[in-house]
Amino acid sequence: QVQLVEFGGGLVQAGGSLSLSCDIIGGDFGIDAMGWYREAPGKQRELVARIISGGSTNYADSVKGRFTISRDNAKNTVYLQMNSLKPEDTAVYYCNVLKYDLDYWGQGTQVTVSP
């Protein structure tokens, strides 16, 4: 069993920065990928960024060059640094872990970017 506890989020003006973190509880053995998704009102949940086992990363085109995903293996934590935020980045952000073909989700944290 994996539990994900998210921190960060909040309200920021356009052009500002926010940082999210996600503690992975339950061990990192067998994790295939870890990352962040987001869900805006009226829209489907979408991938923001993820780290595949082995270290490669994927980013949504809309966040490339602005967001950076990273992990601290010693702390079992994954981070998302968000810079140059735009109003369209407003959403609930969810931490995700794929382990043994099962998806685990955090509780979600709200990110709101004002114009």
Side-chain angles (χ1 to χ4, degrees):
Q1 189 71 13
V2 175
Q3 287 183 304
L4 306 176
V5 182
E6 300 157 354
F7 301 92
L11 173 64
V12 66
Q13 287 188 327
S17 299
L18 283 174
S19 180
L20 305 180
S21 63
C22 174
D23 290 340
I24 303 170
I25 303 168
D28 61 353
F29 184 79
I31 288 179
D32 298 312
M34 58 181 72
W36 295 91
Y37 287 69
R38 67 187 180 188
E39 189 171 326
K43 295 186 177 181
Q44 288 188 330
R45 192 172 297 188
E46 63 175 359
L47 173 69
V48 176
R50 65 178 178 179
I51 300 175
I52 309 297
S53 63
S56 61
T57 56
N58 299 136
Y59 290 92
D61 288 341
S62 60
V63 307
K64 284 180 181 177
R66 300 188 296 122
F67 291 11
T68 302
I69 189 169
S70 62
R71 66 183 177 185
D72 185 326
N73 290 332
K75 296 181 178 180
N76 281 345
T77 299
V78 60
Y79 304 94
L80 184 68
Q81 178 63 40
M82 304 182 291
N83 298 327
S84 302
L85 282 160
K86 304 175 181 180
E88 51 263 44
D89 294 317
T90 295
V92 178
Y93 284 68
Y94 295 91
C95 181
N96 170 267
V97 161
L98 178 65
K99 181 173 180 176
Y100 297 132
D101 294 329
L102 292 177
D103 277 305
Y104 296 88
W105 297 95
Q107 77 277 11
T109 186
Q110 178 70 44
V111 171
T112 303
V113 185
S114 62

